Amino acid sequence: MKIVVDLLGSDRGAETIFRGVVETSKLLKDLSFVVVGPKSVIEKIEIDEDLEGRLEIIDTEEYILNTEEPTFAVRRKKDSSIVLAMKYLDKENADGLISFGSTGAVLVSGLLIVKRMENVERAALTITLPTNKDKMILLDIGANIECTSDILKQFAIMGNIYAKETLNKENPKIALLNIGSEDGKGTKILKETYSILENENINFVGNIESRDIFDGNIDVLVCDGFHGNILLKTIEGSVKFIMSNMKKSLMSSLSAKIGALLIKSPMRKLKKSLDYKEYGACPMLGLKKVVFKGHGSSDEKAVVSGIISMCDYINKDINSKIEKQIEKGEN
């Protein structure tokens, strides 16, 4: 298996991403890498002979910033790392691509260069989140600000297959994010989507409010990218707020500090369950080729986790399964 790794655009820089590649190469001996980034940085890092034989370097120092307008930047910066990486994925014999850079640039370059699957109206950004019982897949988280009922239906179908394969759910529970659980709630599009999903061959369990999503009673949460992105950032902000204030409270007095020592181990487990590094990276569902997007703040551990997740996705041939199901639904 050969994968393409975009080294540039992350918060921690090319060196951190490449060190993650080096660590992954020690775990997955049959995996070869095409890394896109500054050769001067790569050559400073010591690697063994085994990796040298499995490594190809595309030298560039240009990348797309998070602050740049993605469509304009992708068209203008032909030598940016994500554009070169996508072109390699599209034309050469590579199985997948992972990037930790600009989400917008990954999405736009994927749509313009790799392109969507046949019959897929929109590609969706996904993320895997912890719940009180297991894990949950949320889509879309920012790729599509506005969606029709047909697009949301396709998200549900793609999410259903993804959950079956990666969460090992025989019959994943699919829900729509809404302001109430009743079937008459929400916008016209959400009401239409509800009616459509009721008649699809999936385990649609209805609407769910945001306060209930972590109970663990659903496996796939479907929404448009506008509300999905707000939900995700609210979750991230809430976790930071709670952990920060909990730490302040536990350090506020001697008795509190003693109590903190007693709950140190459970707190570590809680922090780990909420840590994005534990979940690596997630796919952009609906593209012709496998494209994964990792968190911009990913460290070496997160890079390893993301690459392993992508390899698992490729080995399970999830893209082909999605294509077949979408085609079946369109006929």
Side-chain angles (χ1 to χ4, degrees):
M1 184 187 297
K2 180 190 288 186
I3 64 164
V4 186
V5 184
D6 174 17
L7 299 182
L8 293 172
S10 74
D11 299 341
R12 295 176 182 257
E15 182 176 338
T16 296
I17 306 303
F18 185 64
R19 288 190 184 279
V21 170
V22 174
E23 291 304 309
T24 308
S25 71
K26 297 173 184 177
L27 300 173
L28 303 176
K29 296 291 187 179
D30 60 343
L31 189 62
S32 59
F33 304 87
V34 179
V35 294
V36 187
K39 194 172 184 180
S40 57
V41 172
I42 297 166
E43 290 179 337
K44 289 179 182 177
I45 300 170
E46 186 176 346
I47 61 174
D48 57 32
E49 290 184 5
D50 178 60
L51 177 56
E52 283 183 1
R54 297 186 277 141
L55 182 66
E56 182 179 341
I57 301 171
I58 298 177
D59 185 24
T60 185
E61 295 187 3
E62 187 173 42
Y63 64 97
I64 295 173
L65 301 170
N66 285 312
T67 54
E68 294 182 90
E69 199 286 315
T71 303
F72 178 75
V74 167
R75 293 185 186 278
R76 184 173 64 88
K77 291 187 169 182
K78 302 296 185 183
D79 291 325
S80 63
S81 58
I82 187 59
V83 171
L84 293 175
M86 280 294 178
K87 286 181 176 178
Y88 191 101
L89 177 67
D90 183 50
K91 299 297 183 183
E92 304 296 334
N93 186 29
D95 298 289
L97 178 153
I98 187 166
S99 175
F100 302 87
S102 163
T103 300
V106 175
L107 174 64
V108 171
S109 60
L111 292 173
L112 293 177
I113 298 169
V114 172
K115 297 184 173 50
R116 297 189 305 270
M117 297 174 182
E118 293 294 329
N119 300 316
V120 169
E121 290 192 49
R122 300 284 181 85
L125 281 169
T126 67
I127 192 168
T128 301
L129 297 171
T131 73
N132 285 335
K133 295 179 181 177
D134 203 340
K135 295 176 185 177
M136 170 187 72
I137 292 166
L138 168 63
L139 75 164
D140 178 33
I141 58 169
N144 306 280
I145 301 304
E146 295 181 352
C147 294
T148 65
S149 54
D150 284 336
I151 291 170
L152 291 174
K153 179 193 79 171
Q154 289 192 343
F155 289 175
I157 292 170
M158 292 192 292
N160 180 57
I161 295 169
Y162 184 39
K164 280 184 178 180
E165 298 294 334
T166 61
L167 301 184
N168 297 316
K169 299 286 184 177
E170 186 175 339
N171 196 22
K173 295 177 181 177
I174 319 292
L176 272 176
L177 180 65
N178 209 326
I179 57 172
S181 58
E182 301 87 351
D183 58 4
K185 288 284 187 177
T187 63
K188 179 183 177 182
I189 288 174
L190 286 174
K191 291 174 185 177
E192 289 175 355
T193 306
Y194 189 105
S195 298
I196 290 171
L197 294 182
E198 277 189 308
N199 296 308
E200 284 294 313
N201 187 28
I202 58 175
N203 186 16
F204 177 59
V205 296
N207 295 322
I208 190 169
E209 296 181 63
S210 56
R211 66 184 178 189
D212 299 322
I213 63 175
F214 291 110
D215 290 346
N217 296 322
I218 64 168
D219 305 302
V220 179
L221 179 60
V222 176
C223 58
D224 62 52
F226 181 84
H227 293 96
N229 193 269
I230 289 176
L231 175 61
L232 180 62
K233 288 175 180 175
T234 301
I235 292 168
E236 290 178 342
S238 298
V239 169
K240 288 180 182 178
F241 174 79
I242 292 168
M243 297 302 289
S244 175
N245 280 275
M246 189 176 291
K247 185 176 180 179
K248 288 179 184 177
S249 297
L250 292 172
M251 295 294 108
S252 62
S253 66
L254 178 60
S255 59
K257 289 177 181 178
I258 294 171
L261 290 173
L262 297 175
I263 63 169
K264 189 175 182 180
S265 179
M267 285 299 295
R268 279 180 175 171
K269 289 181 180 178
L270 174 62
K271 187 177 181 181
K272 184 177 180 181
S273 71
L274 298 172
D275 189 354
Y276 67 86
K277 299 182 188 71
E278 298 297 321
Y279 302 95
C282 289
M284 299 181 67
L285 299 178
L287 294 179
K288 287 183 178 179
K289 298 289 186 77
V290 176
V291 175
F292 267 56
K293 173 66 178 68
H295 200 289
S297 298
S298 295
D299 59 11
E300 292 173 31
K301 177 183 176 184
V303 173
V304 174
S305 179
I307 295 174
I308 290 174
S309 295
M310 183 170 71
C311 291
D312 181 62
Y313 183 100
I314 294 168
N315 284 326
K316 289 177 177 175
D317 201 19
I318 296 175
N319 263 19
S320 294
K321 292 171 184 175
I322 288 174
E323 279 187 293
K324 288 177 183 176
Q325 191 60 43
I326 294 291
E327 183 181 1
K328 184 178 177 182
E330 294 298 324
N331 290 336

